[in-house]
Amino acid sequence: MWERLWGFLYSHYFRFWVKWVLRMLTGKCELQRVLGRAAGGARRTLSVGNAGRAGQGRAREGGAGEGRAGQGSLPAEKTPPRSSSPASEPFKENLHLSLLQISGYRKLYLNVENLRKVPYDSENEEHEEQLIELWNLLMPHENLKARISKQWCDIGFQGDDPKTDFRGMGLLGLVNLVYFSKHYTNEARQILSRSNHPKLG
């Protein structure tokens, strides 16, 4: 509860003032500070994304910073100065990399979500091939006697027809199982063996 209260107070009242003080002390905007201090990778990209979302939220609400600036009290946080100096090159490169990562993450999220919405279709040959591939990866020494069979229960499906287990995750569930079984075959078989253990499973 206290975390939510502090988060609300900080984002609506204190954040603008903290950013303004830091701007005055360092002479850098929020993006310059984030890109300058954070090591490359996910942490820096997350910080850039959070800074962008906070700015968007402020703009939608009428802008705490913009509103105050409009009243003639304090200037709003400005974007980085346009400069061709050598010092600005690392900033540009880091910002470019972070924006590429954010864009890539959003595309990945949409692709995964779209795959989740695709229902398993037993009439689709590609879907059926992936299902058979999963069986062959997990049970290489045992032939599948029929498409609808009690054998599917041996690898963890609930009933005779495995397609009924892909209701919530759609095709994404099958794709994940096949990928894991293909690239981590030993681990997948160990997990299956352990799950079938009379005491540990």
Side-chain angles (χ1 to χ4, degrees):
M1 176 181 167
W2 291 110
E3 291 180 8
R4 287 185 179 180
L5 178 61
W6 169 247
F8 174 81
L9 292 175
Y10 178 77
S11 62
H12 286 77
Y13 298 102
F14 300 131
R15 188 173 189 274
F16 169 80
W17 298 103
V18 169
K19 286 174 57 180
W20 182 80
V21 169
L22 288 173
R23 173 79 184 212
M24 294 299 104
L25 292 175
T26 64
K28 297 178 179 179
C29 73
E30 185 175 14
L31 273 178
Q32 287 174 311
R33 294 192 300 269
V34 166
L35 292 170
R37 72 171 183 266
R43 187 177 299 276
R44 181 173 67 195
T45 300
L46 183 62
S47 298
V48 171
N50 289 338
R53 279 192 294 275
Q56 289 174 352
R58 188 171 65 247
R60 282 194 299 269
E61 294 168 8
E66 292 172 5
R68 290 189 180 95
Q71 294 168 8
S73 55
L74 293 172
E77 186 93 354
K78 295 179 182 178
T79 56
R82 294 182 180 178
S83 171
S84 59
S85 66
S88 69
E89 291 306 316
F91 170 83
K92 291 177 183 177
E93 183 179 341
N94 291 339
L95 179 61
H96 179 70
L97 290 174
S98 294
L99 293 177
L100 282 177
Q101 288 177 339
I102 291 171
S103 174
Y105 168 78
R106 288 182 177 169
K107 288 178 182 176
L108 175 63
Y109 172 81
L110 290 174
N111 289 339
V112 169
E113 185 62 16
N114 289 335
L115 189 60
R116 185 190 67 80
K117 292 177 182 177
V118 175
Y120 183 90
D121 182 6
S122 57
E123 301 297 322
N124 188 313
E125 289 185 13
E126 291 182 7
H127 296 187
E128 290 289 293
E129 286 173 4
Q130 289 186 67
L131 190 60
I132 299 303
E133 182 180 10
L134 177 65
W135 174 268
N136 292 332
L137 286 166
L138 294 177
M139 303 290 280
H141 304 299
E142 184 176 339
N143 291 326
L144 185 65
K145 297 176 182 176
R147 165 62 180 77
I148 297 179
S149 167
K150 286 283 186 186
Q151 288 178 287
W152 289 111
C153 297
D154 295 340
I155 62 172
F157 288 99
Q158 295 177 4
D160 299 353
D161 191 350
K163 78 172 185 179
T164 58
D165 285 11
F166 297 118
R167 290 185 297 268
M169 291 296 289
L171 197 59
L172 179 63
L174 178 58
V175 169
N176 282 337
L177 285 171
V178 171
Y179 180 89
F180 181 71
S181 300
K182 182 184 292 185
H183 296 277
Y184 302 93
T185 307
N186 291 334
E187 291 85 347
R189 290 175 184 170
Q190 286 174 5
I191 291 170
L192 178 60
S193 176
R194 187 180 178 90
S195 69
N196 289 327
H197 192 279
K199 292 184 179 179
L200 300 177

